[in-house]
Amino acid sequence: MAVVGVLALQGSFNEHIAALRRLGVKGVEIRKPEQLQTVTSLIIPGGESTTMAKLAEYHDLFPSLREFVQMGKPVWGTCAGLIFLANKAVGQKAGGQHLVGGLDCTVHRNFFGSQIQSFEAELSVPELVSKEGGPETFRGIFIRAPAILEAGPEVKVLADYPVSSNRLSNSDSPIEDKTENPEEESKVIVAVRQGNILGTAFHPELTADTRWHSYFVKMSNEIIEEASSSSLVPAQVGTSHYQPPASDLPIYP
Protein backbone atom coordinates (compact mmCIF):
# COMPACT_ATOMS: atom_id res chain seq x y z
CA MET A 1 0.00 0.00 0.00
CA ALA A 2 1.29 3.43 -0.94
CA VAL A 3 2.40 5.74 1.85
CA VAL A 4 1.73 9.47 1.48
CA GLY A 5 4.13 11.94 3.05
CA VAL A 6 2.69 15.07 4.70
CA LEU A 7 5.03 17.98 5.36
CA ALA A 8 4.71 18.46 9.12
CA LEU A 9 6.51 21.70 9.87
CA GLN A 10 3.43 23.73 10.81
CA GLY A 11 -0.24 23.94 9.91
CA SER A 12 -2.94 21.32 9.33
CA PHE A 13 -0.80 18.23 8.71
CA ASN A 14 -2.64 16.14 11.32
CA GLU A 15 -5.95 16.81 9.57
CA HIS A 16 -4.52 15.58 6.24
CA ILE A 17 -3.22 12.41 7.88
CA ALA A 18 -6.65 11.84 9.46
CA ALA A 19 -8.40 12.30 6.08
CA LEU A 20 -6.03 9.79 4.46
CA ARG A 21 -6.67 7.35 7.30
CA ARG A 22 -10.43 7.54 6.62
CA LEU A 23 -9.62 6.32 3.10
CA GLY A 24 -7.48 3.48 4.43
CA VAL A 25 -4.28 5.20 3.27
CA LYS A 26 -1.27 5.69 5.54
CA GLY A 27 0.12 9.20 5.90
CA VAL A 28 3.48 9.89 7.53
CA GLU A 29 4.92 13.13 8.87
CA ILE A 30 7.86 14.60 6.93
CA ARG A 31 10.23 17.02 8.67
CA LYS A 32 13.69 16.19 7.33
CA PRO A 33 15.10 15.93 3.78
CA GLU A 34 16.04 12.26 4.11
CA GLN A 35 12.44 11.36 5.02
CA LEU A 36 11.32 12.37 1.52
CA GLN A 37 13.18 9.33 0.21
CA THR A 38 10.74 7.06 2.05
CA VAL A 39 7.57 8.30 0.27
CA THR A 40 6.42 8.46 -3.34
CA SER A 41 3.94 11.34 -2.96
CA LEU A 42 3.68 14.40 -0.75
CA ILE A 43 1.06 16.79 0.64
CA ILE A 44 2.14 20.30 1.64
CA PRO A 45 -0.60 21.49 4.03
CA GLY A 46 -2.15 24.82 4.82
CA GLY A 47 -0.69 26.99 7.54
CA GLU A 48 1.26 30.23 7.78
CA SER A 49 3.34 30.24 4.61
CA THR A 50 6.10 32.55 5.88
CA THR A 51 6.57 30.47 9.04
CA MET A 52 6.56 27.24 7.04
CA ALA A 53 9.16 28.69 4.66
CA LYS A 54 11.44 29.71 7.53
CA LEU A 55 11.18 26.25 9.10
CA ALA A 56 11.79 24.55 5.75
CA GLU A 57 14.87 26.71 5.25
CA TYR A 58 16.07 25.93 8.79
CA HIS A 59 15.78 22.18 8.10
CA ASP A 60 17.39 22.59 4.65
CA LEU A 61 14.32 21.13 2.99
CA PHE A 62 14.06 23.36 -0.08
CA PRO A 63 16.63 21.55 -2.28
CA SER A 64 15.01 18.17 -1.55
CA LEU A 65 11.48 19.51 -2.04
CA ARG A 66 12.42 21.04 -5.40
CA GLU A 67 14.09 17.81 -6.49
CA PHE A 68 10.99 15.85 -5.43
CA VAL A 69 8.79 18.05 -7.64
CA GLN A 70 11.24 18.09 -10.57
CA MET A 71 11.46 14.29 -10.54
CA GLY A 72 7.74 14.21 -11.36
CA LYS A 73 6.61 12.77 -8.05
CA PRO A 74 2.99 13.60 -7.07
CA VAL A 75 2.64 16.68 -4.84
CA TRP A 76 -0.48 18.42 -3.53
CA GLY A 77 -0.39 21.86 -1.94
CA THR A 78 -3.35 23.23 0.02
CA CYS A 79 -3.57 26.95 0.86
CA ALA A 80 -0.01 27.75 2.05
CA GLY A 81 1.12 24.61 0.23
CA LEU A 82 -0.26 26.07 -3.00
CA ILE A 83 1.86 29.19 -2.44
CA PHE A 84 4.93 27.00 -1.92
CA LEU A 85 4.42 25.26 -5.25
CA ALA A 86 3.79 28.37 -7.34
CA ASN A 87 6.50 29.67 -9.65
CA LYS A 88 5.61 33.22 -8.65
CA ALA A 89 3.84 34.78 -5.67
CA VAL A 90 2.68 38.35 -5.07
CA GLY A 91 1.30 40.01 -1.95
CA GLN A 92 4.21 38.71 0.12
CA LYS A 93 5.49 40.18 3.36
CA ALA A 94 8.55 42.42 3.27
CA GLY A 95 11.58 40.45 2.13
CA GLY A 96 9.51 37.75 0.44
CA GLN A 97 9.98 34.03 1.01
CA HIS A 98 11.50 31.01 -0.70
CA LEU A 99 9.25 28.97 -2.98
CA VAL A 100 9.53 25.37 -4.13
CA GLY A 101 8.06 26.19 -7.54
CA GLY A 102 7.04 23.84 -10.33
CA LEU A 103 3.48 25.07 -10.81
CA ASP A 104 3.28 27.53 -13.72
CA CYS A 105 1.10 30.16 -12.09
CA THR A 106 1.07 33.44 -10.19
CA VAL A 107 -0.47 33.21 -6.73
CA HIS A 108 -1.60 36.12 -4.58
CA ARG A 109 -0.59 35.12 -1.07
CA ASN A 110 -3.46 36.73 0.88
CA PHE A 111 -5.96 37.49 -1.85
CA PHE A 112 -9.07 36.87 0.26
CA GLY A 113 -7.93 38.96 3.21
CA SER A 114 -7.22 38.41 6.89
CA GLN A 115 -8.32 35.73 9.34
CA ILE A 116 -11.63 37.48 10.09
CA GLN A 117 -12.43 37.49 6.36
CA SER A 118 -12.23 33.70 6.14
CA PHE A 119 -15.30 32.09 4.60
CA GLU A 120 -16.87 28.95 3.15
CA ALA A 121 -18.31 28.60 -0.36
CA GLU A 122 -19.84 25.95 -2.60
CA LEU A 123 -17.48 25.39 -5.54
CA SER A 124 -18.34 23.83 -8.89
CA VAL A 125 -15.91 20.91 -9.32
CA PRO A 126 -16.82 18.98 -12.50
CA GLU A 127 -13.44 17.20 -12.74
CA LEU A 128 -13.68 16.00 -9.14
CA VAL A 129 -17.26 14.82 -9.66
CA SER A 130 -16.34 12.96 -12.86
CA LYS A 131 -13.56 11.09 -11.05
CA GLU A 132 -15.01 10.69 -7.56
CA GLY A 133 -18.79 11.08 -7.92
CA GLY A 134 -20.79 12.64 -5.10
CA PRO A 135 -22.40 16.10 -4.98
CA GLU A 136 -21.96 18.51 -7.88
CA THR A 137 -20.22 21.02 -5.58
CA PHE A 138 -17.51 20.93 -2.92
CA ARG A 139 -17.69 23.16 0.16
CA GLY A 140 -14.39 25.03 0.17
CA ILE A 141 -13.07 26.44 3.44
CA PHE A 142 -10.97 29.56 2.77
CA ILE A 143 -8.80 30.71 5.69
CA ARG A 144 -6.54 33.69 4.90
CA ALA A 145 -6.57 32.06 1.52
CA PRO A 146 -4.51 32.68 -1.60
CA ALA A 147 -5.86 32.77 -5.15
CA ILE A 148 -4.30 32.01 -8.51
CA LEU A 149 -4.31 35.13 -10.68
CA GLU A 150 -2.63 33.71 -13.78
CA ALA A 151 -2.00 30.15 -14.95
CA GLY A 152 0.15 28.80 -17.78
CA PRO A 153 -1.16 26.82 -20.76
CA GLU A 154 -0.26 23.46 -19.21
CA VAL A 155 -2.27 24.18 -16.04
CA LYS A 156 -5.74 22.63 -15.89
CA VAL A 157 -8.26 24.69 -13.90
CA LEU A 158 -10.33 22.47 -11.58
CA ALA A 159 -12.28 25.18 -9.72
CA ASP A 160 -12.67 28.97 -9.72
CA TYR A 161 -14.46 31.54 -7.58
CA PRO A 162 -16.29 34.74 -8.59
CA VAL A 163 -14.92 38.10 -7.44
CA SER A 164 -15.44 41.68 -8.55
CA SER A 165 -13.14 42.97 -11.27
CA ASN A 166 -12.36 45.89 -8.98
CA ARG A 167 -10.87 43.44 -6.49
CA LEU A 168 -8.60 42.02 -9.16
CA SER A 169 -7.43 45.45 -10.24
CA ASN A 170 -6.40 46.22 -6.65
CA SER A 171 -4.60 42.93 -6.02
CA ASP A 172 -1.06 43.94 -7.08
CA SER A 173 -1.38 41.38 -9.85
CA PRO A 174 0.02 41.64 -13.39
CA ILE A 175 -3.54 41.37 -14.69
CA GLU A 176 -4.88 44.59 -16.17
CA ASP A 177 -8.52 45.42 -15.46
CA LYS A 178 -9.97 46.23 -18.86
CA THR A 179 -13.64 46.28 -17.88
CA GLU A 180 -15.61 49.49 -18.06
CA ASN A 181 -17.53 48.58 -14.92
CA PRO A 182 -15.11 47.80 -12.05
CA GLU A 183 -17.91 45.96 -10.19
CA GLU A 184 -18.41 43.54 -13.08
CA GLU A 185 -17.90 39.96 -11.95
CA SER A 186 -14.66 38.16 -12.74
CA LYS A 187 -13.10 34.96 -11.44
CA VAL A 188 -9.96 33.79 -9.70
CA ILE A 189 -8.68 30.21 -9.85
CA VAL A 190 -8.78 28.19 -6.62
CA ALA A 191 -7.89 24.63 -7.72
CA VAL A 192 -5.54 23.39 -10.46
CA ARG A 193 -3.56 20.45 -11.72
CA GLN A 194 -0.39 20.51 -13.79
CA GLY A 195 1.08 17.08 -14.43
CA ASN A 196 2.27 15.74 -11.08
CA ILE A 197 1.16 18.83 -9.13
CA LEU A 198 -2.25 19.42 -7.57
CA GLY A 199 -3.07 22.72 -5.87
CA THR A 200 -6.07 23.99 -3.90
CA ALA A 201 -6.45 27.43 -2.30
CA PHE A 202 -8.92 26.03 0.25
CA HIS A 203 -8.72 23.37 2.96
CA PRO A 204 -10.30 20.00 2.01
CA GLU A 205 -8.68 18.44 5.07
CA LEU A 206 -10.99 20.48 7.33
CA THR A 207 -14.13 18.89 5.90
CA ALA A 208 -15.66 15.42 6.14
CA ASP A 209 -15.60 15.17 2.33
CA THR A 210 -12.56 13.10 1.37
CA ARG A 211 -12.99 13.33 -2.42
CA TRP A 212 -9.96 15.57 -2.96
CA HIS A 213 -7.77 13.19 -0.94
CA SER A 214 -9.12 10.24 -2.92
CA TYR A 215 -8.49 12.16 -6.16
CA PHE A 216 -4.88 12.81 -5.12
CA VAL A 217 -4.26 9.20 -4.10
CA LYS A 218 -5.59 7.91 -7.44
CA MET A 219 -3.65 10.59 -9.33
CA SER A 220 -0.50 9.53 -7.45
CA ASN A 221 -1.04 5.84 -8.21
CA GLU A 222 -1.46 6.60 -11.92
CA ILE A 223 1.74 8.69 -12.01
CA ILE A 224 3.70 6.05 -10.12
CA GLU A 225 2.44 3.27 -12.42
CA GLU A 226 3.34 5.31 -15.52
CA ALA A 227 6.82 6.02 -14.16
CA SER A 228 7.31 2.33 -13.35
CA SER A 229 6.23 1.31 -16.86
CA SER A 230 8.47 3.87 -18.56
CA SER A 231 11.46 2.79 -16.47
CA LEU A 232 11.23 -0.62 -18.17
CA VAL A 233 11.80 0.99 -21.59
CA PRO A 234 15.53 1.40 -22.45
CA ALA A 235 16.58 5.04 -22.62
CA GLN A 236 17.75 6.37 -25.98
CA VAL A 237 21.47 7.01 -26.24
CA GLY A 238 22.30 10.69 -26.05
CA THR A 239 18.95 11.68 -24.55
CA SER A 240 18.78 13.18 -21.09
CA HIS A 241 15.80 14.52 -19.15
CA TYR A 242 17.83 15.49 -16.12
CA GLN A 243 17.11 18.85 -14.51
CA PRO A 244 19.56 20.14 -11.91
CA PRO A 245 18.14 20.94 -8.47
CA ALA A 246 16.90 24.54 -8.30
CA SER A 247 18.55 25.24 -4.97
CA ASP A 248 19.59 28.68 -6.14
CA LEU A 249 16.15 29.84 -7.21
CA PRO A 250 15.51 33.47 -6.16
CA ILE A 251 13.34 34.65 -3.34
CA TYR A 252 10.12 36.03 -4.79
CA PRO A 253 8.87 39.35 -3.43
Side-chain angles (χ1 to χ4, degrees):
M1 182 176 65
V3 177
V4 180
V6 182
L7 192 65
L9 299 176
Q10 189 261 349
S12 56
F13 57 89
N14 282 323
E15 289 80 358
H16 275 293
I17 291 174
L20 291 168
R21 188 182 302 120
R22 293 199 295 274
L23 292 172
V25 177
K26 183 178 180 181
V28 296
E29 298 178 6
I30 302 294
R31 292 187 176 88
K32 298 179 180 179
E34 57 268 25
Q35 293 174 321
L36 286 170
Q37 299 174 14
T38 66
V39 296
T40 53
S41 61
L42 178 71
I43 297 174
I44 304 178
E48 211 294 312
S49 61
T50 305
T51 301
M52 288 174 64
K54 288 179 179 178
L55 289 169
E57 188 174 4
Y58 176 80
H59 291 286
D60 195 30
L61 269 162
F62 276 107
S64 296
L65 287 170
R66 289 172 184 141
E67 184 179 21
F68 196 93
V69 172
Q70 290 167 0
M71 289 176 67
K73 294 183 178 181
V75 183
W76 175 21
T78 63
C79 196
L82 169 62
I83 299 170
F84 259 48
L85 292 173
N87 282 347
K88 183 178 181 181
V90 297
Q92 301 280 46
K93 293 181 178 179
Q97 70 177 64
H98 286 287
L99 301 175
V100 174
L103 183 58
D104 184 16
C105 69
T106 299
V107 171
H108 190 290
R109 179 180 176 273
N110 236 15
F111 182 85
F112 291 106
S114 64
Q115 189 83 17
I116 61 172
Q117 293 168 301
S118 301
F119 65 97
E120 298 183 19
E122 294 294 334
L123 303 171
S124 176
V125 285
E127 168 79 3
L128 187 69
V129 174
S130 71
K131 298 288 187 182
E132 299 298 326
E136 294 295 317
T137 61
F138 184 91
R139 190 157 189 82
I141 299 176
F142 294 81
I143 303 174
R144 294 183 64 193
I148 296 174
L149 306 178
E150 287 188 329
E154 301 299 319
V155 177
K156 182 175 184 178
V157 176
L158 304 181
D160 51 33
Y161 183 78
V163 296
S164 70
S165 295
N166 184 59
R167 189 166 192 174
L168 273 178
S169 64
N170 294 324
S171 66
D172 296 324
S173 78
I175 298 175
E176 295 181 10
D177 180 26
K178 298 179 180 179
T179 58
E180 294 181 4
N181 182 1
E183 291 305 316
E184 185 175 321
E185 190 177 88
S186 188
K187 292 180 179 180
V188 290
I189 303 166
V190 294
V192 293
R193 179 180 174 184
Q194 181 186 355
N196 61 308
I197 302 175
L198 179 66
T200 55
F202 46 92
H203 289 264
E205 75 279 8
L206 300 183
T207 75
D209 191 336
T210 56
R211 285 182 294 167
W212 281 105
H213 288 81
S214 177
Y215 180 92
F216 178 65
V217 170
K218 291 176 182 175
M219 166 186 142
S220 300
N221 289 338
E222 289 172 1
I223 291 172
I224 293 166
E225 287 174 8
E226 288 175 5
S228 177
S229 298
S230 63
S231 67
L232 299 176
V233 179
Q236 294 182 4
V237 176
T239 301
S240 174
H241 298 286
Y242 173 76
Q243 288 183 310
S247 56
D248 295 323
L249 286 179
I251 299 175
Y252 287 104

